[in-house]
PDB file of all heavy atoms in Angstrom:
ATOM      1  N   SER B  54      -1.906  -6.264  -0.401  1.00 98.00           N
ATOM      2  CA  SER B  54      -2.291  -7.660  -0.576  1.00 98.00           C
ATOM      3  C   SER B  54      -3.818  -7.788  -0.734  1.00 98.00           C
ATOM      4  O   SER B  54      -4.275  -8.549  -1.621  1.00 98.00           O
ATOM      5  CB  SER B  54      -1.757  -8.390   0.661  1.00 98.00           C
ATOM      6  OG  SER B  54      -2.380  -9.604   0.776  1.00 98.00           O
ATOM      7  N   GLU B  55      -4.582  -7.031   0.058  1.00 97.00           N
ATOM      8  CA  GLU B  55      -6.028  -7.139  -0.045  1.00 97.00           C
ATOM      9  C   GLU B  55      -6.531  -6.612  -1.422  1.00 97.00           C
ATOM     10  O   GLU B  55      -7.401  -7.202  -2.025  1.00 97.00           O
ATOM     11  CB  GLU B  55      -6.728  -6.284   1.087  1.00 97.00           C
ATOM     12  CG  GLU B  55      -6.570  -6.893   2.456  1.00 97.00           C
ATOM     13  CD  GLU B  55      -7.287  -8.223   2.652  1.00 97.00           C
ATOM     14  OE1 GLU B  55      -8.284  -8.477   1.926  1.00 97.00           O
ATOM     15  OE2 GLU B  55      -6.825  -9.002   3.484  1.00 97.00           O
ATOM     16  N   ALA B  56      -5.956  -5.477  -1.848  1.00 98.00           N
ATOM     17  CA  ALA B  56      -6.397  -4.886  -3.129  1.00 98.00           C
ATOM     18  C   ALA B  56      -6.049  -5.800  -4.315  1.00 98.00           C
ATOM     19  O   ALA B  56      -6.858  -5.963  -5.207  1.00 98.00           O
ATOM     20  CB  ALA B  56      -5.793  -3.496  -3.279  1.00 98.00           C
ATOM     21  N   THR B  58      -5.442  -9.080  -4.259  1.00 97.00           N
ATOM     22  CA  THR B  58      -6.282 -10.285  -4.170  1.00 97.00           C
ATOM     23  C   THR B  58      -7.682 -10.010  -4.737  1.00 97.00           C
ATOM     24  O   THR B  58      -8.244 -10.833  -5.440  1.00 97.00           O
ATOM     25  CB  THR B  58      -6.370 -10.756  -2.704  1.00 97.00           C
ATOM     26  OG1 THR B  58      -5.060 -10.956  -2.242  1.00 97.00           O
ATOM     27  CG2 THR B  58      -7.137 -12.077  -2.579  1.00 97.00           C
ATOM     28  N   ASN B  59      -8.236  -8.812  -4.442  1.00 97.00           N
ATOM     29  CA  ASN B  59      -9.557  -8.479  -5.012  1.00 97.00           C
ATOM     30  C   ASN B  59      -9.533  -8.437  -6.524  1.00 97.00           C
ATOM     31  O   ASN B  59     -10.492  -8.867  -7.191  1.00 97.00           O
ATOM     32  CB  ASN B  59      -9.992  -7.128  -4.457  1.00 97.00           C
ATOM     33  CG  ASN B  59     -10.604  -7.266  -3.054  1.00 97.00           C
ATOM     34  OD1 ASN B  59     -10.805  -8.367  -2.536  1.00 97.00           O
ATOM     35  ND2 ASN B  59     -10.941  -6.131  -2.434  1.00 97.00           N
ATOM     36  N   CYS B  60      -8.453  -7.889  -7.100  1.00 98.00           N
ATOM     37  CA  CYS B  60      -8.369  -7.829  -8.571  1.00 98.00           C
ATOM     38  C   CYS B  60      -8.383  -9.257  -9.112  1.00 98.00           C
ATOM     39  O   CYS B  60      -9.084  -9.542 -10.092  1.00 98.00           O
ATOM     40  CB  CYS B  60      -7.082  -7.150  -9.026  1.00 98.00           C
ATOM     41  SG  CYS B  60      -6.914  -5.449  -8.534  1.00 98.00           S
ATOM     42  N   ILE B  62      -9.399 -12.218  -7.662  1.00 95.00           N
ATOM     43  CA  ILE B  62     -10.571 -13.043  -7.344  1.00 95.00           C
ATOM     44  C   ILE B  62     -11.870 -12.459  -7.906  1.00 95.00           C
ATOM     45  O   ILE B  62     -12.688 -13.146  -8.464  1.00 95.00           O
ATOM     46  CB  ILE B  62     -10.654 -13.270  -5.806  1.00 95.00           C
ATOM     47  CG1 ILE B  62      -9.545 -14.219  -5.435  1.00 95.00           C
ATOM     48  CG2 ILE B  62     -12.043 -13.831  -5.441  1.00 95.00           C
ATOM     49  CD1 ILE B  62      -9.354 -14.314  -3.955  1.00 95.00           C
ATOM     50  N   HIS B  63     -12.014 -11.132  -7.676  1.00 96.00           N
ATOM     51  CA  HIS B  63     -13.317 -10.506  -8.087  1.00 96.00           C
ATOM     52  C   HIS B  63     -13.229  -9.847  -9.477  1.00 96.00           C
ATOM     53  O   HIS B  63     -14.136 -10.024 -10.271  1.00 96.00           O
ATOM     54  CB  HIS B  63     -13.750  -9.467  -7.083  1.00 96.00           C
ATOM     55  CG  HIS B  63     -13.870  -9.988  -5.669  1.00 96.00           C
ATOM     56  ND1 HIS B  63     -14.779 -10.911  -5.323  1.00 96.00           N
ATOM     57  CD2 HIS B  63     -13.159  -9.707  -4.556  1.00 96.00           C
ATOM     58  CE1 HIS B  63     -14.646 -11.180  -4.049  1.00 96.00           C
ATOM     59  NE2 HIS B  63     -13.668 -10.471  -3.547  1.00 96.00           N
ATOM     60  N   TYR B 105     -19.515  -7.421   3.920  1.00 94.00           N
ATOM     61  CA  TYR B 105     -20.180  -7.690   2.637  1.00 94.00           C
ATOM     62  C   TYR B 105     -19.215  -8.393   1.685  1.00 94.00           C
ATOM     63  O   TYR B 105     -18.091  -7.949   1.470  1.00 94.00           O
ATOM     64  CB  TYR B 105     -20.652  -6.397   1.928  1.00 94.00           C
ATOM     65  CG  TYR B 105     -21.149  -6.727   0.545  1.00 94.00           C
ATOM     66  CD1 TYR B 105     -22.424  -7.267   0.318  1.00 94.00           C
ATOM     67  CD2 TYR B 105     -20.294  -6.673  -0.566  1.00 94.00           C
ATOM     68  CE1 TYR B 105     -22.842  -7.637  -0.944  1.00 94.00           C
ATOM     69  CE2 TYR B 105     -20.679  -7.041  -1.835  1.00 94.00           C
ATOM     70  CZ  TYR B 105     -21.989  -7.554  -1.980  1.00 94.00           C
ATOM     71  OH  TYR B 105     -22.355  -7.969  -3.253  1.00 94.00           O
ATOM     72  N   THR B 106     -19.646  -9.530   1.195  1.00 94.00           N
ATOM     73  CA  THR B 106     -18.913 -10.203   0.116  1.00 94.00           C
ATOM     74  C   THR B 106     -19.874 -10.771  -0.903  1.00 94.00           C
ATOM     75  O   THR B 106     -20.975 -11.215  -0.589  1.00 94.00           O
ATOM     76  CB  THR B 106     -18.022 -11.380   0.693  1.00 94.00           C
ATOM     77  OG1 THR B 106     -17.354 -11.986  -0.424  1.00 94.00           O
ATOM     78  CG2 THR B 106     -18.812 -12.433   1.485  1.00 94.00           C
ATOM     79  N   ARG B 113     -14.841 -16.122   1.663  1.00 87.00           N
ATOM     80  CA  ARG B 113     -14.422 -14.707   1.797  1.00 87.00           C
ATOM     81  C   ARG B 113     -15.106 -14.170   3.014  1.00 87.00           C
ATOM     82  O   ARG B 113     -16.262 -14.488   3.300  1.00 87.00           O
ATOM     83  CB  ARG B 113     -14.854 -13.925   0.537  1.00 87.00           C
ATOM     84  CG  ARG B 113     -14.238 -14.389  -0.735  1.00 87.00           C
ATOM     85  CD  ARG B 113     -12.837 -13.822  -0.926  1.00 87.00           C
ATOM     86  NE  ARG B 113     -11.846 -14.847  -1.105  1.00 87.00           N
ATOM     87  CZ  ARG B 113     -10.591 -14.682  -0.881  1.00 87.00           C
ATOM     88  NH1 ARG B 113     -10.134 -13.507  -0.449  1.00 87.00           N
ATOM     89  NH2 ARG B 113      -9.719 -15.623  -1.074  1.00 87.00           N
ATOM     90  N   SER B 114     -14.427 -13.252   3.761  1.00 91.00           N
ATOM     91  CA  SER B 114     -15.069 -12.743   4.948  1.00 91.00           C
ATOM     92  C   SER B 114     -15.673 -11.338   4.709  1.00 91.00           C
ATOM     93  O   SER B 114     -16.376 -10.797   5.546  1.00 91.00           O
ATOM     94  CB  SER B 114     -14.081 -12.688   6.068  1.00 91.00           C
ATOM     95  OG  SER B 114     -12.982 -11.869   5.697  1.00 91.00           O
ATOM     96  N   GLY B 115     -15.400 -10.742   3.533  1.00 94.00           N
ATOM     97  CA  GLY B 115     -15.954  -9.418   3.244  1.00 94.00           C
ATOM     98  C   GLY B 115     -15.302  -8.310   4.052  1.00 94.00           C
ATOM     99  O   GLY B 115     -15.867  -7.296   4.326  1.00 94.00           O
ATOM    100  N   MET B 116     -14.015  -8.535   4.409  1.00 95.00           N
ATOM    101  CA  MET B 116     -13.340  -7.552   5.243  1.00 95.00           C
ATOM    102  C   MET B 116     -12.177  -6.816   4.526  1.00 95.00           C
ATOM    103  O   MET B 116     -11.507  -5.985   5.126  1.00 95.00           O
ATOM    104  CB  MET B 116     -12.794  -8.235   6.510  1.00 95.00           C
ATOM    105  CG  MET B 116     -13.864  -8.646   7.500  1.00 95.00           C
ATOM    106  SD  MET B 116     -14.905  -7.262   8.014  1.00 95.00           S
ATOM    107  CE  MET B 116     -13.778  -6.416   9.137  1.00 95.00           C
ATOM    108  N   GLY B 117     -12.013  -7.108   3.224  1.00 97.00           N
ATOM    109  CA  GLY B 117     -10.880  -6.529   2.504  1.00 97.00           C
ATOM    110  C   GLY B 117     -10.829  -5.003   2.545  1.00 97.00           C
ATOM    111  O   GLY B 117      -9.849  -4.406   2.920  1.00 97.00           O
ATOM    112  N   PHE B 118     -11.955  -4.386   2.156  1.00 98.00           N
ATOM    113  CA  PHE B 118     -11.979  -2.889   2.090  1.00 98.00           C
ATOM    114  C   PHE B 118     -11.882  -2.308   3.502  1.00 98.00           C
ATOM    115  O   PHE B 118     -11.247  -1.258   3.688  1.00 98.00           O
ATOM    116  CB  PHE B 118     -13.251  -2.399   1.440  1.00 98.00           C
ATOM    117  CG  PHE B 118     -13.200  -2.460  -0.094  1.00 98.00           C
ATOM    118  CD1 PHE B 118     -14.201  -3.058  -0.822  1.00 98.00           C
ATOM    119  CD2 PHE B 118     -12.134  -1.868  -0.783  1.00 98.00           C
ATOM    120  CE1 PHE B 118     -14.135  -3.119  -2.225  1.00 98.00           C
ATOM    121  CE2 PHE B 118     -12.069  -1.937  -2.156  1.00 98.00           C
ATOM    122  CZ  PHE B 118     -13.071  -2.561  -2.890  1.00 98.00           C
ATOM    123  N   MET B 121      -8.266  -2.368   4.426  1.00 98.00           N
ATOM    124  CA  MET B 121      -7.524  -1.304   3.685  1.00 98.00           C
ATOM    125  C   MET B 121      -7.806   0.046   4.379  1.00 98.00           C
ATOM    126  O   MET B 121      -6.865   0.812   4.603  1.00 98.00           O
ATOM    127  CB  MET B 121      -7.979  -1.227   2.239  1.00 98.00           C
ATOM    128  CG  MET B 121      -7.520  -2.357   1.364  1.00 98.00           C
ATOM    129  SD  MET B 121      -8.130  -2.163  -0.305  1.00 98.00           S
ATOM    130  CE  MET B 121      -9.053  -3.675  -0.531  1.00 98.00           C
TER     131      MET B 121
HETATM  132 MG1   MG M   9     -11.188  -8.929  -0.609  1.00 58.90          MG
END
Side-chain angles (χ1 to χ4, degrees):
S54 164
E55 290 295 333
T58 304
N59 278 354
C60 298
I62 288 169
H63 303 295
Y105 172 81
T106 179
R113 297 277 124 201
S114 58
M116 288 304 284
F118 280 129
M121 289 178 238

